[in-house]
Amino acid sequence: MASPAPSSASAPASHQLRLCHQLRLGWRRRGRGGAVGATFSVALLAAALLLALSYYASSPPTASSSALVGLTLVRRAKEKGAVCLDGSPSGYHLQRGSGTGSRSWLLHLEGGGWCRNLRSCASRQKSVLGSSRYMEHQIEFAGILSNDRFQNPDFYNWNRVKIRYCDGASFSGDVKDELQNGTKFFFRGQRIWEAVMGELLLKGLSHAKQAFLTGCSAGGLATFIHCDNFRALLPRDSRVKCLADGGFFLDVEDISRKRTLRAFYSDVVRLQDLGGKFSHCSQNMDLGQCFFPSEVVKDIITPVFVLNTAYDAWQVQHVLAPEASDPQHSWLECKLDIRKCDSDQLEILQGLRKELHDAISELKHKRNWGFFIDSCFVHCQSLNSLTWHSPSSPRVNNKTIADAVGDWFFDRREVKEIDCEYPCNPTCHNLVFSRPFKGR
């Protein structure tokens, strides 16, 4: 699941195609047996690229005046231990604010899934998700990162930062040992977070009048994890809030009655030694449970906005109906195009929607929190100009996502929006996927 936002802004299409080609070759080399065993891990590495490419092909983003924003590598990264999985320096893209936004900051944590074992982490070392050697030197900022006032009316002139994701555990790991089975792996997400924050504080973040930490997918989970720490770094009189986009992953049974994502998370937590990181975890809880947002949010004090769809495309494909749970491929067409789901499958999808509503029920009583739960078949919506704020953006109660987020951040109104059941909302941009790659 690489940079899972459905947006070409997260990476040029040519780069996405190149990485997808590398993934395809990797699957072919493994052979059929190996592909089945590694399906979920490889899917995490590829899913967001497929999401981005499908969205790019069917609904290209609107034109933007945004300039390309250069990559800044963390200074003395190796000395600080703030390195990617392969030991290369971590990095970020910074576009300076202006005018009334010169002392306001918006930070975005990039998504890209997780790796559960040394084999899957080794694959990431050779990609943008595990090495700055593969990162684009320049990227375009769109959606919530755009400097276009019409596309991004509330945050266009802020200092805007995209923090690159290359540690495989939502910016959380900090394992001192580098050698794992004779190969070097650097599980240093926590140090990346600290080093990037240190640099940005010196560049003006420490004087911010208002600051907004956001993230998509695995970056959305990281936003939950780091939200209160972000608040603690900033002046007490500043307005500080957080937004998690497509990051409210659910601890649900798949269609074969297994908890696929919980098992995956358990491996991530063990591999990167995250067990002692979460104070909300009790001794009788499975380690994987500690990594779910429904548990992480219990300790968060800082106001958070949850942006999610009730039919998250990535979760439908890889949590609700992963390939291993569907050997007959009866869910294949439904996972590619929600319009092709039969009545029984739609009933299960409505159950997924209910699970999300139940999981966020506690948030309804948090006065300063907000949420926008639409009924679209997508994954991450804040980084794409079309879904963030445009004449054809998805709406709930006639508000775009940008409208809702801005109203909440600036306390213009309380925002707790829940859409009606699919297929009620005609403004949705539902993703349509081509058939996934198969191992041979």
Side-chain angles (χ1 to χ4, degrees):
M1 172 173 126
S3 189
S7 166
S8 63
S10 60
S14 60
H15 177 80
Q16 294 172 341
L17 286 168
R18 183 167 66 251
L19 185 50
C20 279
H21 177 66
Q22 292 171 354
L23 291 165
R24 183 193 292 116
L25 291 176
W27 286 358
R28 285 176 178 169
R29 291 189 191 105
R30 286 190 182 94
R32 181 63 180 173
V36 172
T39 294
F40 196 73
S41 297
V42 177
L44 284 166
L45 183 60
L49 288 171
L50 300 179
L51 282 163
L53 288 168
S54 298
Y55 204 88
Y56 184 82
S58 60
S59 303
T62 57
S64 170
S65 60
S66 299
L68 293 174
V69 183
L71 175 66
T72 299
L73 296 179
V74 170
R75 294 184 60 198
R76 303 194 310 277
K78 292 187 178 180
E79 177 184 327
K80 299 172 184 176
V83 294
C84 300
L85 286 169
D86 71 335
S88 60
S90 53
Y92 57 91
H93 303 259
L94 165 62
Q95 189 169 51
R96 288 289 188 176
S98 61
T100 58
S102 60
R103 290 187 62 185
S104 298
W105 288 74
L106 188 148
L107 280 59
H108 183 86
L109 298 172
E110 184 179 34
W114 316 269
C115 53
R116 72 190 302 178
N117 52 41
L118 298 182
R119 182 173 62 178
S120 59
C121 290
S123 296
R124 294 169 76 95
Q125 285 182 329
K126 299 177 178 62
S127 78
V128 68
L129 292 173
S131 173
S132 59
R133 296 184 180 96
Y134 297 90
M135 291 177 184
E136 311 91 314
H137 293 292
Q138 294 180 315
I139 62 173
E140 182 183 358
F141 278 8
I144 197 172
L145 290 174
S146 173
N147 66 354
D148 184 332
R149 185 171 189 170
F150 297 101
Q151 182 184 147
N152 191 24
D154 283 309
F155 311 109
Y156 72 97
N157 65 343
W158 286 30
N159 298 284
R160 284 153 289 110
V161 186
K162 182 171 184 177
I163 302 172
R164 302 307 295 266
Y165 176 47
C166 62
D167 67 275
S170 289
F171 297 90
S172 294
D174 189 4
V175 179
K176 292 182 180 180
D177 293 337
E178 299 173 3
L179 277 179
Q180 306 282 340
N181 289 353
T183 302
K184 281 193 174 184
F185 290 89
F186 297 85
F187 300 132
R188 303 285 174 76
Q190 178 65 32
R191 297 196 202 183
I192 292 172
W193 162 262
E194 292 172 358
V196 174
M197 289 303 107
E199 289 199 8
L200 295 178
L201 288 168
L202 292 174
K203 292 183 177 183
L205 178 62
S206 62
H207 302 295
K209 288 186 176 180
Q210 45 197 3
F212 201 8
L213 178 66
T214 74
C216 160
S217 195
L221 174 56
T223 300
F224 287 123
I225 293 169
H226 290 293
C227 184
D228 278 344
N229 175 256
F230 182 65
R231 163 70 273 186
L233 295 172
L234 298 167
R236 289 186 177 182
D237 60 349
S238 59
R239 181 197 300 266
V240 181
K241 298 185 179 183
C242 304
L243 176 147
D245 177 13
F248 209 97
F249 297 96
L250 296 171
D251 185 11
V252 296
E253 292 183 343
D254 63 28
I255 57 175
S256 68
R257 308 301 297 273
K258 297 178 181 178
R259 292 188 182 268
T260 300
L261 189 57
R262 184 192 291 187
F264 189 96
Y265 275 176
S266 293
D267 289 346
V268 174
V269 170
R270 289 189 184 92
L271 181 66
Q272 298 222 20
D273 195 21
L274 306 178
K277 186 177 182 64
F278 305 114
S279 59
H280 58 264
C281 280
S282 60
Q283 290 183 344
N284 61 348
M285 288 177 62
D286 184 287
L287 283 176
Q289 289 177 273
C290 304
F291 212 44
F292 281 97
S294 57
E295 295 297 329
V296 178
V297 298
K298 292 178 180 179
D299 287 343
I300 300 176
I301 299 172
T302 309
V304 178
F305 192 95
V306 176
L307 169 58
N308 241 81
T309 168
Y311 311 94
D312 184 278
W314 188 86
Q315 293 200 61
V316 169
Q317 293 178 352
H318 302 288
V319 180
L320 181 66
E323 185 176 346
S325 71
D326 184 29
Q328 303 303 318
H329 304 296
S330 60
W331 272 77
L332 179 58
E333 296 299 327
C334 176
K335 291 193 296 183
L336 298 177
D337 185 347
I338 194 170
R339 296 171 301 175
K340 296 181 180 179
C341 297
D342 61 34
S343 58
D344 291 337
Q345 290 167 335
L346 284 175
E347 185 176 351
I348 293 173
L349 291 180
Q350 303 303 1
L352 183 69
R353 175 179 181 268
K354 183 179 185 303
E355 291 274 5
L356 177 61
H357 289 184
D358 290 346
I360 66 170
S361 60
E362 293 183 23
L363 310 186
K364 296 177 183 177
H365 308 296
K366 289 179 178 269
R367 184 173 58 86
N368 295 325
W369 288 43
F371 49 79
F372 186 102
I373 310 297
D374 59 34
S375 293
C376 309
F377 185 64
V378 294
H379 179 65
C380 287
Q381 300 172 87
S382 64
L383 287 184
N384 187 283
S385 59
L386 194 63
T387 51
W388 175 246
H389 189 67
S390 75
S392 59
S393 289
R395 284 169 165 76
V396 177
N397 290 330
N398 203 34
K399 291 283 188 177
T400 66
I401 296 169
D403 291 333
V405 171
D407 286 349
W408 170 80
F409 185 89
F410 294 104
D411 299 319
R412 296 192 287 248
R413 68 181 178 98
E414 183 181 59
V415 180
K416 290 185 166 85
E417 305 286 8
I418 295 183
D419 206 355
C420 48
E421 291 186 357
Y422 172 86
C424 68
N425 192 336
T427 66
C428 279
H429 294 276
N430 297 319
L431 289 173
V432 177
F433 297 85
S434 59
R435 288 184 179 272
F437 300 129
K438 292 183 178 293
R440 300 195 186 281

